[in-house]
C-alpha cells in the first residue's frame, strides 16, 4: 500500500507477526512459546514506508483491503503521536482532527465484523508524570488501543494512556 517493496525494513512487523502466530510449542529447550494464536491465518499489508512513516491513504487502503478479505482483526502496530518526541511540544494536528475519520472507518469495520486494534503510542514518560494520550488511530473509541508492558509485565514507562488527559485512566 506504499507503492514499493513489502520488505520489513525495521523488523517490527515480523516481530508482531511472531507474537501473534508464533509456534504452539517452543523450538528451543527453554519451553518459551511466542505465538498467542499459533493457528491463525495472517494477511499482511505494508502501510509504512522504509522511514517508518505512513499517510492516511496507505493506512486506509490497507484497512479497506483487510475488511474486503474478511479479516476478523486488523492489528496496526503504529500510531501518530500528537507530541513531537524530540522537543516534547504538541504537534499542530490535534487528536480530534483525525478522530472523526477513524471513527467512521472503525464503525464500518465493526459493521463488517472486523475489529481494529492500534498502538496507543510510546511518547509518555510516566516516571516524570508526563502522560500523553493515545495517538491516532487508537484515539478513536471504536478502535481497541494497546499499550506497552515492560519486562515485569507492568505498564511501560513510555506507554501512552487513555484517549484524552481529562478522562484519565490507563
Amino acid at each position: 500500500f506504499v507503492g514499493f517493496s513489502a520488505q520489513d525494513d525495521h523488523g517490527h512487523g515480523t516481530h508482531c507477526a511472531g507474537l501473534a502466530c508464533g509456534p504452539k510449542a517452543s523450538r528451543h529447550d527453554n519451553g518459551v512459546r511466542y505465538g498467542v494464536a499459533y493457528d491463525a491465518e495472517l494477511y499482511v499489508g505494508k502501510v509504512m514506508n522504509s522511514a517508518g512513516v505512513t499517510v492516511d491513504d496507505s493506512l486506509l487502503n490497507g484497512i479497506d483491503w483487510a475488511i474486503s478479505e474478511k479479516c476478523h482483526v486488523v492489528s496496526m502496530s503504529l500510531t501518530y503521536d500528537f507530541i513531537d518526541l524530540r522537543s516534547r511540544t504538541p504537534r499542530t494536528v490535534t487528536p480530534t482532527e483525525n478522530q472523526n475519520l477513524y471513527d467512521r472507518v472503525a464503525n464500518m469495520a465493526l459493521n463488517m465484523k472486523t475489529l481494529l486494534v492500534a498502538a496507543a503510542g510510546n511518547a509518555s514518560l510516566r516516571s516524570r508524570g508526563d502522560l500523553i494520550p493515545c495517538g491516532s488511530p487508537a484515539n478513536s473509541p471504536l478502535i481497541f488501543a494497546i499499550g506497552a508492558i515492560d519486562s515485569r509485565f507492568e505498564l511501560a514507562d513510555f506507554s501512552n494512556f487513555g484517549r484524552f488527559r481529562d478522562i484519565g485512566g490507563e
Side-chain angles (χ1 to χ4, degrees):
F1 300 99
V2 292
F4 52 87
S5 168
Q7 178 68 34
D8 185 353
D9 299 306
H10 303 284
H12 186 75
T14 301
H15 169 79
C16 292
L19 287 174
C21 299
K24 179 178 180 180
S26 175
R27 294 186 178 136
H28 305 286
D29 292 336
N30 64 9
V32 175
R33 207 185 113 208
Y34 298 98
V36 296
Y38 63 89
D39 60 350
E41 184 176 4
L42 284 184
Y43 288 66
V44 178
K46 183 173 181 166
V47 298
M48 300 181 87
N49 65 23
S50 55
V53 176
T54 187
V55 293
D56 284 335
D57 285 350
S58 62
L59 179 54
L60 294 172
N61 289 334
I63 292 169
D64 185 56
W65 168 76
I67 293 170
S68 72
E69 293 293 324
K70 300 189 180 359
C71 295
H72 299 289
V73 177
V74 175
S75 178
M76 302 172 283
S77 185
L78 53 85
T79 191
Y80 181 86
D81 290 313
F82 298 104
I83 186 167
D84 182 281
L85 299 179
R86 288 190 183 96
S87 67
R88 309 296 294 168
T89 58
R91 294 183 192 260
T92 56
V93 176
T94 63
T96 54
E97 288 181 50
N98 283 342
Q99 184 176 342
N100 290 336
L101 171 65
Y102 288 110
D103 286 351
R104 289 192 310 273
V105 169
N107 189 51
M108 179 192 69
L110 289 170
N111 286 330
M112 301 295 288
K113 310 242 184 290
T114 298
L115 174 66
L116 302 184
V117 178
N122 299 330
S124 291
L125 290 172
R126 293 170 170 274
S127 58
R128 292 193 339 206
D130 191 4
L131 299 174
I132 304 299
C134 281
S136 179
N139 65 332
S140 168
L142 301 174
I143 295 177
F144 196 91
I146 301 292
I149 58 172
D150 63 19
S151 61
R152 298 178 313 255
F153 297 101
E154 294 178 8
L155 195 58
D157 188 51
F158 55 82
S159 188
N160 290 0
F161 82 103
R163 289 184 52 229
F164 303 105
R165 286 182 193 272
D166 59 331
I167 293 174
E170 299 294 323

